[in-house]
Amino acid sequence: MKTNIKIRAVLIASVACSSAAFSQQSMGDWPQHSRERPLPTVVTPGAPALPVPPPADAIVLFDGTSLARWEDGKGGPAKWKLIAGGAMEVAPGTGGIQTRDGYGDAQLHVEWMSPTPAHGKDQDRGNSGVFLMGKFEVQVLDSYHNVTYADGQAASIYGQYPPLVNVSRKPGEWQSYDIVFHRPRFDAAGKLLKPARFTILHNGVLVQDDVEPVGPTANMRRPPYEAGPDRLPIGLQDHEHPVRFRNIWIRDLERK
Ligand code: MG
């Protein structure tokens, strides 16, 4: 009997231990956009291996030839530029673009490039963004030798989670995001049951490890979740910088 209690105690301790060991990346107690917050360690990524071809069950959102799967957010055609070589470029001032279709849980691959030569600094340098469900921004920024606040650099969940490391490539070099996203869940009355979740690889390196946003993205504030549709478009941000994108594909994890 005594032995059983001992075993149980050991089991409980080991469960507590493993849940601590695998606990989620913390948002910490730092104020939003704090410049005192330590910056992620710089890690040089491995040799480029892009583009990554889409698997057979992926929906290709952009193959370099057409913006047909994108719109301007008001139902009109996307106004960004198609660039020779199979890329699109933000047409500054024309507004963000979004997919014509909505998605919930998804695996999303995006390749992007910061403008070269680099202009500006801090947030005013190669800024764009990938918005899951049009609400949760994975920041796109030229974070190569460009200091900004930790929760606003490339591969941050903007205003919430800095990336685990800064694995940015130089302006003019293609970079990749591989994003695994789970949408928030609500009950019938609109009460939040489960927050959204992100796991992200930047240039093949883990930068967000199953993090839970505290709500949709906003600048200088952290608004709460609000119940809404299960599927919403993926957005790309016009932050007035000519950032380029190519080879965007998605695996719809909720497709029946
Ligand atoms: Mg942005």
Side-chain angles (χ1 to χ4, degrees):
M1 190 66 183
K2 262 187 183 167
T3 315
N4 278 349
I5 290 169
K6 242 186 210 169
I7 289 170
R8 208 173 299 151
V10 168
L11 278 175
I12 289 166
S14 80
V15 167
C17 202
S18 65
S19 69
F22 293 101
S23 68
Q24 289 175 331
Q25 210 173 318
S26 163
M27 205 167 72
D29 295 327
W30 296 95
Q32 192 182 29
H33 309 318
S34 169
R35 290 183 184 270
E36 309 301 313
R37 187 172 188 164
L39 296 175
T41 304
V42 172
V43 171
T44 304
L50 300 177
V52 176
D57 64 351
I59 299 159
V60 177
L61 297 175
F62 180 64
D63 69 358
T65 64
S66 157
L67 287 165
R69 283 190 174 270
W70 299 81
E71 62 179 24
D72 65 1
K74 298 175 203 128
K79 296 184 184 71
W80 290 12
K81 292 184 237 170
L82 275 176
I83 300 289
M88 62 164 128
E89 184 178 287
V90 176
T94 60
I97 63 171
Q98 64 182 45
T99 54
R100 290 192 180 274
D101 296 324
Y103 302 92
D105 294 354
Q107 174 187 347
L108 177 66
H109 177 85
V110 177
E111 297 178 16
W112 58 274
M113 180 195 282
S114 305
T116 181
H119 281 289
K121 59 178 185 176
D122 205 319
Q123 289 289 302
D124 190 29
R125 176 151 146 164
N127 195 333
S128 181
V130 179
F131 282 77
L132 277 290
M133 300 186 81
K135 296 181 179 191
F136 304 97
E137 182 182 13
V138 180
Q139 173 72 310
V140 169
L141 194 79
D142 177 0
S143 285
Y144 185 84
H145 295 183
N146 176 41
V147 174
T148 188
Y149 42 87
D151 67 19
Q153 69 172 66
S156 60
I157 304 298
Y158 184 80
Q160 299 188 24
Y161 292 91
L164 290 167
V165 289
N166 179 355
V167 70
S168 297
R169 294 194 191 279
K170 293 177 187 169
E173 295 183 1
W174 284 104
Q175 313 199 44
S176 64
Y177 283 161
D178 287 285
I179 300 168
V180 178
F181 174 76
H182 293 276
R183 61 178 170 82
R185 261 64 177 179
F186 300 90
D187 68 13
K191 183 178 161 243
L192 181 69
L193 297 176
K194 279 174 86 172
R197 281 167 34 219
F198 275 101
T199 294
I200 305 175
L201 280 72
H202 180 192
N203 295 327
V205 176
L206 183 69
V207 287
Q208 299 290 350
D209 185 6
D210 199 21
V211 298
E212 295 181 344
V214 294
T217 300
N219 190 37
M220 308 292 284
R221 61 197 181 91
R222 288 173 175 157
Y225 282 93
E226 274 179 32
D230 289 345
R231 299 171 73 83
L232 285 167
I234 288 166
L236 298 176
Q237 185 183 44
D238 171 12
H239 206 284
E240 310 244 319
H241 298 160
V243 175
R244 293 183 177 186
F245 292 89
R246 75 172 185 189
N247 190 30
I248 304 176
W249 50 260
I250 191 165
R251 295 185 61 247
D252 182 346
L253 303 179
E254 296 188 86
R255 188 156 51 182
K256 303 285 185 277

